[in-house]
Amino acid sequence: QIILGILLLLGVGAFLFVYSGKNTVIPRIASSTGFRDDPSPYDLSLLSKKYENKVYRFSVMMPESFTAQELPTESGEGVVVVLQDNNGSGVQIQISPSSEEIYTLTADDIRASLPDMNIIEEQEVEIGNNYRGVAFKSDNEAFEGDSRDVWFVFHGTLFQITTYARNDSLLQAMFATWKFF
């Protein structure tokens, strides 16, 4: 019985070691300077409130003044997460199933799917060791024709993060805190 107990404890310990934080994936912009044209970085210490989504297994930090609202997508598959304050600053995250399991999403892929979307100043985004997405500027009408976006697919789910271009440094700071668990 003692040997069985020791084996059980070793098994539980090994399980906890393998699954405790080692599987956390933290996305990042591929270049060390962040987005190419951001002249004024956002103060990361202002991101003091955590939003956590247990369905899609991610968290992101946001300013204390922000609220989180989850809305259904038009298709009914997925969710739109709106993180914002009363002054119009914020980020929208549209989450939906991807039609196929892909590891790299490029600006050319988005252009092929949405030919009317103007994508400029694209930049690769790394999601862990295996996945790649793209950060870019666009003419998204929902954001007064001047948006900043980060799109990627992770484990069969498409994440489309969008904000007004004027909130670029906020998006960068929030994205730097993004973690999958």
Side-chain angles (χ1 to χ4, degrees):
Q1 287 183 345
I2 292 175
I3 293 175
L4 185 58
I6 291 172
L7 289 174
L8 180 63
L9 284 174
L10 287 174
V12 169
F15 175 82
L16 292 175
F17 175 76
V18 169
Y19 289 100
S20 65
K22 190 174 180 184
N23 291 331
T24 300
V25 175
I26 302 172
R28 71 179 187 85
I29 305 300
S31 84
S32 59
T33 59
F35 298 132
R36 281 184 229 138
D37 61 345
D38 182 34
S40 57
Y42 192 86
D43 185 353
L44 284 172
S45 68
L46 298 176
L47 304 178
S48 58
K49 188 175 183 180
K50 182 188 259 188
Y51 168 78
E52 188 171 273
N53 188 297
K54 292 185 181 180
V55 173
Y56 296 99
R57 302 183 48 84
F58 75 92
S59 68
V60 64
M61 297 301 291
M62 59 186 178
E64 189 65 36
S65 62
F66 276 34
T67 59
Q69 185 176 13
E70 295 179 7
L71 307 166
T73 61
E74 288 182 21
S75 70
E77 294 183 21
V79 66
V80 176
V81 178
V82 180
L83 309 173
Q84 66 182 354
D85 65 13
N86 292 332
N87 300 322
S89 292
V91 173
Q92 174 183 293
I93 307 164
Q94 183 163 331
I95 306 167
S96 53
S98 176
S99 59
E100 56 188 84
E101 176 63 31
I102 60 172
Y103 293 89
T104 300
L105 180 66
T106 67
D108 289 338
D109 295 329
I110 298 169
R111 286 183 187 106
S113 295
L114 303 167
D116 293 337
M117 186 176 203
N118 185 25
I119 297 173
I120 57 172
E121 298 181 23
E122 62 261 22
Q123 189 174 4
E124 184 177 85
V125 175
E126 296 176 357
I127 314 299
N129 294 325
N130 300 322
Y131 294 86
R132 301 288 180 266
V134 62
F136 57 93
K137 283 187 167 182
S138 183
D139 59 354
N140 188 330
E141 289 301 318
F143 291 85
E144 299 173 355
D146 194 16
S147 67
R148 173 56 96 178
D149 296 71
V150 177
W151 291 22
F152 59 91
V153 174
F154 187 72
H155 291 293
T157 302
L158 173 63
F159 292 84
Q160 298 166 279
I161 307 166
T162 306
T163 190
Y164 294 98
R166 68 178 179 264
N167 292 331
D168 187 20
S169 63
L170 171 65
L171 173 61
Q172 288 183 58
M174 288 176 68
F175 190 68
T177 69
W178 187 294
K179 294 179 185 178
F180 284 101
F181 52 88

